[in-house]
Structures are given as structure tokens and as C-alpha cells.
Amino acid sequence: MTNAQLKTLLGVIESKMDSTKKGVAVVEDMRPVVTNCTVDIICQTAMGIRVNAQQAWIDWEKSGTDHAKKTPESEYADAVRSFLDIVLHRFISPWLYLDFMFRLFPSGRQSAAHVRTMHAFTNKVITQRKAEMEARFDYSMSVEQAIKHISEGSRMDFLDLLLVYHLKGQDDFDLVSIREEVDTFMFGGHDTTSTTLHFALLLLGLNRDKQVSLFVCFVFVWVSKIHCLQQALIHEELDSIFGDDLERDVTADDLKQMPYMEMCIKEVMVW
């Protein structure tokens, strides 16, 4: 997660807080907040593009209409989210398991439309990125040399790496294969990450008053598989790193000083 996306996420959370609930500021539904954030992150990681899903969602809510101004990027983000919702609906609907039956239902036709939207957008991004790379690509270099050359001075995303192999004539990396790889990376990275974050926030919220030692907590987890994630101890760990400075960016060195946070996230993944 980049610091820019983190700040956007915090801004979205603040805008969604409702102080009328139970006398404290709460966010009733974190699912779209977290999901839009992970869509932003994975799109930048996989394809090197900014879809601004978080901001588009806020703009859509403020407009109060389905006809809010959309960009190709926001349409792609909407298609990703809607397609995953249909996948979940199909999973819990046995009568939709057979493809020919699924295509007869509105959800099946909507799914096909979302797939066309995603493929059209991904194909456009791949074509544009390929043209940009061809203009500065040195075909005399080996794959390793080309990767090093392109990554100098800038971060190399997943799509760029695949295009290097494509331009070097690797048979397994035609444009269709690249699109399939990017799509797999998109869905595998976005859905699993958002689900893990949902459960982590849920368990932290349920155990915010726990003051059990780490050893006792892990013994309890081992015996009953019930997770005691201690929000207070995580808060204390973060305070020891950032103190009163709430504005500075998070660095890689900061992450190395969060062992308890890491343990809690790993326990969520086990659960």
C-alpha cells in the first residue's frame, strides 16, 4: 500500500463515520471501504494504473444517482467488484452451477458484460503499455538486462515484467496470455487481501478490551482456535513507532518494527 492510497483510505473512513451511532463515531459497513482500497492497490501493482476506486465510490454516493460521471478506470473497478459479487451469489446458488443455466439468468448476462468490460480495459492498457515499451526497448539485450534497464529510476510493475518476456519472443507470453496472467493477479490479490483485512478488523474490534499476554493468547488460540487479537497492544506498538506524529509517511523500516501486528495478521490468515 502506498502512502497516497493510505491517506485516501483514512479520508474515506473519516467521511463515513457516523457519530450518532451508540454515542461514538463508527463506520457501519467497512466492506466497500476496504474492497475499494484493495482494488486501487492491486491495479497499481499489477498494471501500473490508478483507477481511483475509492474516490469514485465516494463521488457516486455523494451524487445519489447511478448516473454519476464515470471514467474507463472507474468502470473497470465497478466491473471487478460486481463480477466478484456475482461469483459469490453463484457459489451459494446450486441451480446456477451449470453454465447453460447460469447464462439464462440476469446474473449470468451481467457477468458476461462485466467480463467484456474488464477484458476491453485490460487489452487497452496492455496495448498502450506495449507501444510505450517498444519505443525504448533494446532488442539486443537479454531478458535480465532489459528488466534491469527498464526498472532503473522507476518501479517496475507486473505488466511491464510480462511485456519484457513478450517482446523477447517468448512463446508462452502472447498478449492473450498476458491478459490472463494480469486478470489472475488482479482477482487473486484483491479478493483475498480484502477478505483478510475484513476479518482482521472484525476480530480486532471484538477484542479491543483484551489485555491478555501474547503467550496466553496463542495458547488459547491453539486449544480452541478462537483468536484473541488485542487492539490495545497493537495501538501501543504503533504509538511507540509514530508517537504524536500522525502526518508522516509510513516506511519499510516502520513495518519491521511491528512484530505484534504481523503476528495478528498471520493469525487471521490461519483462521
Side-chain angles (χ1 to χ4, degrees):
M1 179 186 295
T2 67
N3 283 289
Q5 289 160 343
L6 174 60
K7 291 177 180 178
T8 301
L9 173 63
L10 293 176
V12 171
I13 292 175
E14 289 178 357
S15 70
K16 297 295 293 180
M17 283 185 173
D18 186 351
S19 59
T20 65
K21 303 293 183 179
K22 301 179 182 178
V24 295
V26 297
V27 180
E28 283 196 321
D29 186 5
M30 281 296 295
R31 187 185 67 88
V33 176
V34 173
T35 300
N36 284 304
C37 180
T38 55
V39 168
D40 275 344
I41 294 168
I42 201 66
C43 282
Q44 187 170 351
T45 303
M47 293 187 288
I49 59 172
R50 296 180 180 274
V51 298
N52 296 319
Q54 298 179 84
Q55 188 58 50
W57 178 60
I58 291 297
D59 292 342
W60 173 80
E61 285 211 326
K62 287 180 177 178
S63 69
T65 173
D66 290 336
H67 302 290
K69 183 178 180 181
K70 290 188 176 182
T71 64
E73 290 80 9
S74 64
E75 288 181 350
Y76 176 79
D78 288 344
V80 170
R81 290 192 300 268
S82 299
F83 178 79
L84 287 174
D85 287 341
I86 292 174
V87 170
L88 177 59
H89 173 66
R90 188 180 184 186
F91 180 75
I92 61 176
S93 307
W95 57 90
L96 298 178
Y97 286 0
L98 296 177
D99 288 341
F100 81 91
M101 285 291 294
F102 181 58
R103 287 192 289 266
L104 296 176
F105 283 80
S107 56
R109 295 189 290 272
Q110 292 168 2
S111 174
H114 293 322
V115 169
R116 288 193 296 270
T117 298
M118 291 185 288
H119 284 178
F121 181 78
T122 307
N123 287 335
K124 179 181 177 181
V125 171
I126 291 173
T127 301
Q128 291 176 343
R129 190 66 60 81
K130 179 183 176 182
E132 295 171 1
M133 186 174 289
E134 281 180 322
R136 54 190 174 89
F137 194 79
D138 187 346
Y139 287 89
S140 65
M141 292 182 176
S142 65
V143 171
E144 292 76 13
Q145 290 172 330
I147 292 173
K148 183 178 179 180
H149 175 71
I150 294 173
S151 61
E152 286 180 351
S154 62
R155 185 184 62 82
M156 191 175 192
D157 55 60
F158 184 61
L159 177 56
D160 288 337
L161 182 63
L162 296 179
L163 284 173
V164 169
Y165 282 93
H166 169 70
L167 293 176
K168 289 299 293 183
Q170 300 287 337
D171 295 335
D172 295 334
F173 286 92
D174 57 31
L175 293 182
V176 174
S177 298
I178 290 176
R179 189 198 68 203
E180 291 174 347
E181 291 288 343
V182 170
D183 287 343
T184 301
F185 200 81
M186 266 292 308
F187 288 102
H190 147 253
D191 190 45
T192 54
T193 302
S194 62
T195 301
T196 301
L197 291 173
H198 293 152
F199 276 106
L201 291 171
L202 170 64
L203 293 172
L204 286 170
L206 291 175
N207 295 279
R208 61 185 181 276
D209 298 325
K210 301 286 185 183
Q211 293 294 334
V212 189
S213 71
L214 188 61
F215 174 75
V216 173
C217 178
F218 280 179
V219 169
F220 190 55
V221 168
W222 180 72
V223 172
S224 64
K225 302 302 292 182
I226 299 175
H227 296 262
C228 295
L229 299 180
Q230 293 114 333
Q231 181 182 1
L233 294 179
I234 291 179
H235 202 294
E236 181 181 336
E237 183 176 74
L238 296 178
D239 286 343
S240 69
I241 298 171
F242 297 99
D244 296 328
D245 188 355
L246 303 180
E247 301 298 327
R248 77 170 179 85
D249 290 343
V250 181
T251 66
D253 289 335
D254 292 332
L255 299 180
K256 297 176 183 178
Q257 301 178 53
M258 303 178 188
Y260 191 78
M261 174 80 79
E262 182 180 355
M263 293 176 193
C264 289
I265 293 175
K266 287 180 178 178
E267 281 300 313
V268 172
M269 297 175 72
V270 170
W271 187 75

PDB file of all heavy atoms in Angstrom, residues 2-28:
ATOM      1  N   THR A   2       0.652   2.157  -0.957  1.00  0.00           N
ATOM      2  CA  THR A   2       1.408   3.396  -0.970  1.00  0.00           C
ATOM      3  C   THR A   2       0.817   4.346   0.055  1.00  0.00           C
ATOM      4  O   THR A   2      -0.339   4.227   0.459  1.00  0.00           O
ATOM      5  CB  THR A   2       1.360   4.042  -2.361  1.00  0.00           C
ATOM      6  OG1 THR A   2       0.023   4.466  -2.641  1.00  0.00           O
ATOM      7  CG2 THR A   2       1.822   3.057  -3.436  1.00  0.00           C
ATOM      8  N   ASN A   3       1.627   5.325   0.456  1.00  0.00           N
ATOM      9  CA  ASN A   3       1.153   6.291   1.446  1.00  0.00           C
ATOM     10  C   ASN A   3       0.005   7.137   0.897  1.00  0.00           C
ATOM     11  O   ASN A   3      -0.884   7.538   1.646  1.00  0.00           O
ATOM     12  CB  ASN A   3       2.324   7.167   1.885  1.00  0.00           C
ATOM     13  CG  ASN A   3       3.244   6.457   2.865  1.00  0.00           C
ATOM     14  OD1 ASN A   3       2.884   6.224   4.008  1.00  0.00           O
ATOM     15  ND2 ASN A   3       4.432   6.078   2.415  1.00  0.00           N
ATOM     16  N   ALA A   4       0.028   7.389  -0.419  1.00  0.00           N
ATOM     17  CA  ALA A   4      -1.066   8.165  -1.013  1.00  0.00           C
ATOM     18  C   ALA A   4      -2.389   7.419  -0.884  1.00  0.00           C
ATOM     19  O   ALA A   4      -3.424   8.011  -0.542  1.00  0.00           O
ATOM     20  CB  ALA A   4      -0.758   8.454  -2.481  1.00  0.00           C
ATOM     21  N   GLN A   5      -2.369   6.127  -1.142  1.00  0.00           N
ATOM     22  CA  GLN A   5      -3.597   5.340  -1.030  1.00  0.00           C
ATOM     23  C   GLN A   5      -4.027   5.194   0.427  1.00  0.00           C
ATOM     24  O   GLN A   5      -5.220   5.156   0.733  1.00  0.00           O
ATOM     25  CB  GLN A   5      -3.389   3.971  -1.676  1.00  0.00           C
ATOM     26  CG  GLN A   5      -3.289   4.051  -3.191  1.00  0.00           C
ATOM     27  CD  GLN A   5      -2.619   2.846  -3.796  1.00  0.00           C
ATOM     28  OE1 GLN A   5      -1.948   2.081  -3.111  1.00  0.00           O
ATOM     29  NE2 GLN A   5      -2.792   2.664  -5.095  1.00  0.00           N
ATOM     30  N   LEU A   6      -3.032   5.116   1.328  1.00  0.00           N
ATOM     31  CA  LEU A   6      -3.348   5.038   2.757  1.00  0.00           C
ATOM     32  C   LEU A   6      -4.060   6.298   3.214  1.00  0.00           C
ATOM     33  O   LEU A   6      -5.058   6.237   3.949  1.00  0.00           O
ATOM     34  CB  LEU A   6      -2.063   4.829   3.560  1.00  0.00           C
ATOM     35  CG  LEU A   6      -2.198   4.856   5.086  1.00  0.00           C
ATOM     36  CD1 LEU A   6      -3.143   3.757   5.549  1.00  0.00           C
ATOM     37  CD2 LEU A   6      -0.838   4.701   5.741  1.00  0.00           C
ATOM     38  N   LYS A   7      -3.583   7.454   2.772  1.00  0.00           N
ATOM     39  CA  LYS A   7      -4.219   8.720   3.163  1.00  0.00           C
ATOM     40  C   LYS A   7      -5.621   8.827   2.573  1.00  0.00           C
ATOM     41  O   LYS A   7      -6.536   9.354   3.215  1.00  0.00           O
ATOM     42  CB  LYS A   7      -3.341   9.888   2.716  1.00  0.00           C
ATOM     43  CG  LYS A   7      -2.031   9.988   3.507  1.00  0.00           C
ATOM     44  CD  LYS A   7      -1.145  11.103   2.990  1.00  0.00           C
ATOM     45  CE  LYS A   7       0.153  11.170   3.804  1.00  0.00           C
ATOM     46  NZ  LYS A   7       1.076  12.218   3.305  1.00  0.00           N
ATOM     47  N   THR A   8      -5.784   8.317   1.341  1.00  0.00           N
ATOM     48  CA  THR A   8      -7.122   8.311   0.742  1.00  0.00           C
ATOM     49  C   THR A   8      -8.063   7.435   1.560  1.00  0.00           C
ATOM     50  O   THR A   8      -9.210   7.807   1.822  1.00  0.00           O
ATOM     51  CB  THR A   8      -7.057   7.794  -0.707  1.00  0.00           C
ATOM     52  OG1 THR A   8      -6.192   8.631  -1.478  1.00  0.00           O
ATOM     53  CG2 THR A   8      -8.444   7.797  -1.338  1.00  0.00           C
ATOM     54  N   LEU A   9      -7.564   6.261   1.984  1.00  0.00           N
ATOM     55  CA  LEU A   9      -8.369   5.348   2.797  1.00  0.00           C
ATOM     56  C   LEU A   9      -8.795   6.010   4.103  1.00  0.00           C
ATOM     57  O   LEU A   9      -9.969   5.925   4.505  1.00  0.00           O
ATOM     58  CB  LEU A   9      -7.578   4.076   3.084  1.00  0.00           C
ATOM     59  CG  LEU A   9      -8.219   3.084   4.066  1.00  0.00           C
ATOM     60  CD1 LEU A   9      -9.531   2.550   3.508  1.00  0.00           C
ATOM     61  CD2 LEU A   9      -7.254   1.946   4.378  1.00  0.00           C
ATOM     62  N   LEU A  10      -7.871   6.684   4.772  1.00  0.00           N
ATOM     63  CA  LEU A  10      -8.203   7.353   6.035  1.00  0.00           C
ATOM     64  C   LEU A  10      -9.238   8.455   5.816  1.00  0.00           C
ATOM     65  O   LEU A  10     -10.138   8.643   6.637  1.00  0.00           O
ATOM     66  CB  LEU A  10      -6.931   7.938   6.661  1.00  0.00           C
ATOM     67  CG  LEU A  10      -5.892   6.911   7.135  1.00  0.00           C
ATOM     68  CD1 LEU A  10      -4.641   7.614   7.640  1.00  0.00           C
ATOM     69  CD2 LEU A  10      -6.472   6.008   8.219  1.00  0.00           C
ATOM     70  N   GLY A  11      -9.105   9.163   4.692  1.00  0.00           N
ATOM     71  CA  GLY A  11     -10.090  10.197   4.374  1.00  0.00           C
ATOM     72  C   GLY A  11     -11.475   9.612   4.132  1.00  0.00           C
ATOM     73  O   GLY A  11     -12.484  10.187   4.558  1.00  0.00           O
ATOM     74  N   VAL A  12     -11.521   8.463   3.447  1.00  0.00           N
ATOM     75  CA  VAL A  12     -12.807   7.795   3.203  1.00  0.00           C
ATOM     76  C   VAL A  12     -13.436   7.352   4.515  1.00  0.00           C
ATOM     77  O   VAL A  12     -14.636   7.527   4.742  1.00  0.00           O
ATOM     78  CB  VAL A  12     -12.609   6.583   2.267  1.00  0.00           C
ATOM     79  CG1 VAL A  12     -13.892   5.762   2.178  1.00  0.00           C
ATOM     80  CG2 VAL A  12     -12.185   7.039   0.878  1.00  0.00           C
ATOM     81  N   ILE A  13     -12.617   6.772   5.412  1.00  0.00           N
ATOM     82  CA  ILE A  13     -13.131   6.315   6.711  1.00  0.00           C
ATOM     83  C   ILE A  13     -13.690   7.496   7.509  1.00  0.00           C
ATOM     84  O   ILE A  13     -14.772   7.403   8.098  1.00  0.00           O
ATOM     85  CB  ILE A  13     -12.019   5.605   7.505  1.00  0.00           C
ATOM     86  CG1 ILE A  13     -11.655   4.283   6.817  1.00  0.00           C
ATOM     87  CG2 ILE A  13     -12.458   5.351   8.943  1.00  0.00           C
ATOM     88  CD1 ILE A  13     -10.476   3.566   7.448  1.00  0.00           C
ATOM     89  N   GLU A  14     -12.967   8.603   7.516  1.00  0.00           N
ATOM     90  CA  GLU A  14     -13.444   9.783   8.248  1.00  0.00           C
ATOM     91  C   GLU A  14     -14.764  10.294   7.674  1.00  0.00           C
ATOM     92  O   GLU A  14     -15.662  10.703   8.413  1.00  0.00           O
ATOM     93  CB  GLU A  14     -12.382  10.882   8.190  1.00  0.00           C
ATOM     94  CG  GLU A  14     -11.145  10.580   9.031  1.00  0.00           C
ATOM     95  CD  GLU A  14     -10.088  11.662   8.903  1.00  0.00           C
ATOM     96  OE1 GLU A  14     -10.316  12.604   8.109  1.00  0.00           O
ATOM     97  OE2 GLU A  14      -9.045  11.569   9.575  1.00  0.00           O
ATOM     98  N   SER A  15     -14.886  10.240   6.355  1.00  0.00           N
ATOM     99  CA  SER A  15     -16.120  10.737   5.725  1.00  0.00           C
ATOM    100  C   SER A  15     -17.306   9.822   5.980  1.00  0.00           C
ATOM    101  O   SER A  15     -18.454  10.257   5.905  1.00  0.00           O
ATOM    102  CB  SER A  15     -15.911  10.889   4.213  1.00  0.00           C
ATOM    103  OG  SER A  15     -15.798   9.615   3.580  1.00  0.00           O
ATOM    104  N   LYS A  16     -17.040   8.555   6.297  1.00  0.00           N
ATOM    105  CA  LYS A  16     -18.110   7.586   6.520  1.00  0.00           C
ATOM    106  C   LYS A  16     -18.504   7.461   7.980  1.00  0.00           C
ATOM    107  O   LYS A  16     -19.467   6.774   8.298  1.00  0.00           O
ATOM    108  CB  LYS A  16     -17.686   6.204   6.008  1.00  0.00           C
ATOM    109  CG  LYS A  16     -17.428   6.135   4.517  1.00  0.00           C
ATOM    110  CD  LYS A  16     -18.697   6.395   3.727  1.00  0.00           C
ATOM    111  CE  LYS A  16     -19.720   5.304   3.913  1.00  0.00           C
ATOM    112  NZ  LYS A  16     -20.954   5.562   3.155  1.00  0.00           N
ATOM    113  N   MET A  17     -17.769   8.083   8.871  1.00  0.00           N
ATOM    114  CA  MET A  17     -18.070   7.957  10.298  1.00  0.00           C
ATOM    115  C   MET A  17     -19.387   8.634  10.652  1.00  0.00           C
ATOM    116  O   MET A  17     -19.693   9.727  10.185  1.00  0.00           O
ATOM    117  CB  MET A  17     -16.938   8.564  11.142  1.00  0.00           C
ATOM    118  CG  MET A  17     -15.713   7.675  11.238  1.00  0.00           C
ATOM    119  SD  MET A  17     -14.471   8.373  12.351  1.00  0.00           S
ATOM    120  CE  MET A  17     -13.289   7.028  12.417  1.00  0.00           C
ATOM    121  N   ASP A  18     -20.155   7.945  11.478  1.00  0.00           N
ATOM    122  CA  ASP A  18     -21.445   8.461  11.934  1.00  0.00           C
ATOM    123  C   ASP A  18     -21.415   8.538  13.457  1.00  0.00           C
ATOM    124  O   ASP A  18     -21.446   7.518  14.146  1.00  0.00           O
ATOM    125  CB  ASP A  18     -22.564   7.535  11.474  1.00  0.00           C
ATOM    126  CG  ASP A  18     -23.944   8.103  11.789  1.00  0.00           C
ATOM    127  OD1 ASP A  18     -24.012   9.125  12.512  1.00  0.00           O
ATOM    128  OD2 ASP A  18     -24.932   7.532  11.323  1.00  0.00           O
ATOM    129  N   SER A  19     -21.341   9.745  13.996  1.00  0.00           N
ATOM    130  CA  SER A  19     -21.214   9.929  15.446  1.00  0.00           C
ATOM    131  C   SER A  19     -22.536   9.743  16.176  1.00  0.00           C
ATOM    132  O   SER A  19     -22.592   9.781  17.406  1.00  0.00           O
ATOM    133  CB  SER A  19     -20.662  11.321  15.752  1.00  0.00           C
ATOM    134  OG  SER A  19     -21.516  12.316  15.220  1.00  0.00           O
ATOM    135  N   THR A  20     -23.627   9.525  15.429  1.00  0.00           N
ATOM    136  CA  THR A  20     -24.933   9.356  16.067  1.00  0.00           C
ATOM    137  C   THR A  20     -25.166   7.924  16.528  1.00  0.00           C
ATOM    138  O   THR A  20     -26.137   7.641  17.218  1.00  0.00           O
ATOM    139  CB  THR A  20     -26.072   9.761  15.111  1.00  0.00           C
ATOM    140  OG1 THR A  20     -26.085   8.864  13.985  1.00  0.00           O
ATOM    141  CG2 THR A  20     -25.862  11.185  14.617  1.00  0.00           C
ATOM    142  N   LYS A  21     -24.284   6.998  16.114  1.00  0.00           N
ATOM    143  CA  LYS A  21     -24.463   5.598  16.459  1.00  0.00           C
ATOM    144  C   LYS A  21     -23.784   5.289  17.797  1.00  0.00           C
ATOM    145  O   LYS A  21     -22.559   5.398  17.924  1.00  0.00           O
ATOM    146  CB  LYS A  21     -23.882   4.698  15.363  1.00  0.00           C
ATOM    147  CG  LYS A  21     -24.479   4.940  13.971  1.00  0.00           C
ATOM    148  CD  LYS A  21     -25.942   4.536  13.910  1.00  0.00           C
ATOM    149  CE  LYS A  21     -26.512   4.716  12.500  1.00  0.00           C
ATOM    150  NZ  LYS A  21     -27.905   4.318  12.422  1.00  0.00           N
ATOM    151  N   LYS A  22     -24.569   4.917  18.781  1.00  0.00           N
ATOM    152  CA  LYS A  22     -24.060   4.480  20.086  1.00  0.00           C
ATOM    153  C   LYS A  22     -23.189   5.532  20.768  1.00  0.00           C
ATOM    154  O   LYS A  22     -22.349   5.211  21.603  1.00  0.00           O
ATOM    155  CB  LYS A  22     -23.274   3.179  19.928  1.00  0.00           C
ATOM    156  CG  LYS A  22     -24.092   2.034  19.348  1.00  0.00           C
ATOM    157  CD  LYS A  22     -23.255   0.773  19.180  1.00  0.00           C
ATOM    158  CE  LYS A  22     -24.069  -0.335  18.555  1.00  0.00           C
ATOM    159  NZ  LYS A  22     -23.269  -1.556  18.343  1.00  0.00           N
ATOM    160  N   GLY A  23     -23.336   6.773  20.381  1.00  0.00           N
ATOM    161  CA  GLY A  23     -22.612   7.843  21.036  1.00  0.00           C
ATOM    162  C   GLY A  23     -21.157   7.981  20.628  1.00  0.00           C
ATOM    163  O   GLY A  23     -20.440   8.814  21.168  1.00  0.00           O
ATOM    164  N   VAL A  24     -20.687   7.149  19.687  1.00  0.00           N
ATOM    165  CA  VAL A  24     -19.303   7.237  19.225  1.00  0.00           C
ATOM    166  C   VAL A  24     -19.291   7.236  17.701  1.00  0.00           C
ATOM    167  O   VAL A  24     -20.260   6.841  17.051  1.00  0.00           O
ATOM    168  CB  VAL A  24     -18.447   6.059  19.754  1.00  0.00           C
ATOM    169  CG1 VAL A  24     -18.332   6.114  21.258  1.00  0.00           C
ATOM    170  CG2 VAL A  24     -19.033   4.731  19.315  1.00  0.00           C
ATOM    171  N   ALA A  25     -18.159   7.678  17.144  1.00  0.00           N
ATOM    172  CA  ALA A  25     -18.028   7.709  15.686  1.00  0.00           C
ATOM    173  C   ALA A  25     -17.720   6.301  15.174  1.00  0.00           C
ATOM    174  O   ALA A  25     -16.730   5.698  15.569  1.00  0.00           O
ATOM    175  CB  ALA A  25     -16.912   8.673  15.283  1.00  0.00           C
ATOM    176  N   VAL A  26     -18.597   5.768  14.333  1.00  0.00           N
ATOM    177  CA  VAL A  26     -18.408   4.412  13.813  1.00  0.00           C
ATOM    178  C   VAL A  26     -18.645   4.404  12.311  1.00  0.00           C
ATOM    179  O   VAL A  26     -19.321   5.281  11.760  1.00  0.00           O
ATOM    180  CB  VAL A  26     -19.371   3.415  14.489  1.00  0.00           C
ATOM    181  CG1 VAL A  26     -19.106   3.318  15.969  1.00  0.00           C
ATOM    182  CG2 VAL A  26     -20.825   3.785  14.207  1.00  0.00           C
ATOM    183  N   VAL A  27     -18.091   3.389  11.642  1.00  0.00           N
ATOM    184  CA  VAL A  27     -18.371   3.119  10.233  1.00  0.00           C
ATOM    185  C   VAL A  27     -19.196   1.844  10.189  1.00  0.00           C
ATOM    186  O   VAL A  27     -18.733   0.785  10.598  1.00  0.00           O
ATOM    187  CB  VAL A  27     -17.069   2.947   9.428  1.00  0.00           C
ATOM    188  CG1 VAL A  27     -17.398   2.663   7.960  1.00  0.00           C
ATOM    189  CG2 VAL A  27     -16.199   4.188   9.540  1.00  0.00           C
ATOM    190  N   GLU A  28     -20.422   1.938   9.723  1.00  0.00           N
ATOM    191  CA  GLU A  28     -21.337   0.803   9.800  1.00  0.00           C
ATOM    192  C   GLU A  28     -20.897  -0.365   8.918  1.00  0.00           C
ATOM    193  O   GLU A  28     -21.065  -1.519   9.289  1.00  0.00           O
ATOM    194  CB  GLU A  28     -22.746   1.240   9.400  1.00  0.00           C
ATOM    195  CG  GLU A  28     -23.478   2.019  10.483  1.00  0.00           C
ATOM    196  CD  GLU A  28     -24.966   2.088  10.205  1.00  0.00           C
ATOM    197  OE1 GLU A  28     -25.337   2.253   9.030  1.00  0.00           O
ATOM    198  OE2 GLU A  28     -25.748   1.981  11.158  1.00  0.00           O
TER     199      GLU A  28
END
